[in-house]
Amino acid sequence: TNSNGCSKTLEKPSLIDIMPALQASFTAITPAVCNLSDAVRLSNTSSGPGTLTYSWDMGDGNTISDKDPSYVYSKKGNYQVKLTTKNADGCVSTSQPTTISVANFTTDFTLPATICNNNTIRITNKSSPEPQYSNWMADDGSSTYSYGGSDANFTFYQTGARKLTLTANYGTCTQTVTKDVVVKKS
């Protein structure tokens, strides 16, 4: 419309193309690995129009552009992984972060250096995070279980230099530590 009141309308069909939404998403095939040498495997489930490219933020300062990466971390810990998906039209979508646990546990216990045989002692489980269950086994074949990070009561019957092994279960991962103790005749 101009100042004289004259007006004209122009219509251009199909000038703007509204595409389906771009959605960055993935599944952690291995959300936890037991050893630093184990690879974390991720499955890309992103969707959207056009040719897609990918940028994975692995949470440790590194990025990867593979569609479905397999990645080995250099340090144990928990990492927040995110995926950013782009298409050729300039659309961008970033996924919610997913926590990946990499050998992020420590198995340990306290044991006196010397004890007397046939006496029950309390062993302090210092494992972190708390294991689902723990198996305590002496080299003489005696054993006991405890649930979670519970301490254990244990009795050594044989004298001499003995070994006590704690195997802690963290879901799909287990870790074992062995300590020495001298058992004297009571």
Side-chain angles (χ1 to χ4, degrees):
T1 303
N2 66 16
S3 59
N4 297 325
C6 300
S7 65
K8 177 90 174 165
T9 300
L10 174 65
E11 181 179 316
K12 292 193 174 189
S14 302
L15 183 63
I16 298 174
D17 187 15
I18 299 175
M19 297 182 288
L22 182 62
Q23 180 66 44
S25 62
F26 68 96
T27 301
I29 296 170
T30 50
V33 293
C34 302
N35 304 299
L36 279 177
S37 59
D38 295 343
V40 170
R41 292 179 37 233
L42 304 169
S43 175
N44 192 330
T45 57
S46 298
S47 61
T51 302
L52 303 180
T53 59
Y54 310 102
S55 179
W56 296 86
D57 176 350
M58 300 307 293
D60 64 351
N62 290 317
T63 57
I64 299 174
S65 60
D66 297 345
K67 181 180 179 195
D68 297 305
S70 180
Y71 185 75
V72 177
Y73 286 89
S74 62
K75 293 180 183 175
K76 69 182 191 174
N78 289 329
Y79 297 93
Q80 295 292 312
V81 175
K82 293 186 292 187
L83 169 63
T84 299
T85 303
K86 298 179 184 178
N87 69 11
D89 295 313
C91 298
V92 178
S93 176
T94 300
S95 70
Q96 292 295 316
T98 295
T99 301
I100 303 293
S101 179
V102 178
N104 196 27
F105 46 85
T106 302
T107 302
D108 194 16
F109 63 95
T110 58
L111 180 66
T114 305
I115 59 172
C116 294
N117 72 325
N118 299 318
N119 288 333
T120 300
I121 60 167
R122 185 135 186 106
I123 304 167
T124 305
N125 190 341
K126 295 173 63 179
S127 301
S128 176
E130 184 177 292
Q132 288 178 339
Y133 64 89
S134 301
N135 181 19
W136 307 83
M137 182 167 283
D139 60 353
D140 65 2
S142 57
S143 65
T144 189
Y145 288 92
S146 62
Y147 292 96
S150 300
D151 298 338
N153 293 320
F154 205 87
T155 304
F156 286 89
Y157 297 102
Q158 296 180 3
T159 59
R162 307 266 38 113
K163 294 188 179 297
L164 182 64
T165 300
L166 165 61
T167 301
N169 180 289
Y170 302 94
T172 59
C173 303
T174 59
Q175 189 175 53
T176 300
V177 64
T178 300
K179 294 193 177 186
D180 297 320
V181 62
V182 175
V183 181
K184 296 189 175 190
K185 187 168 179 72
S186 47

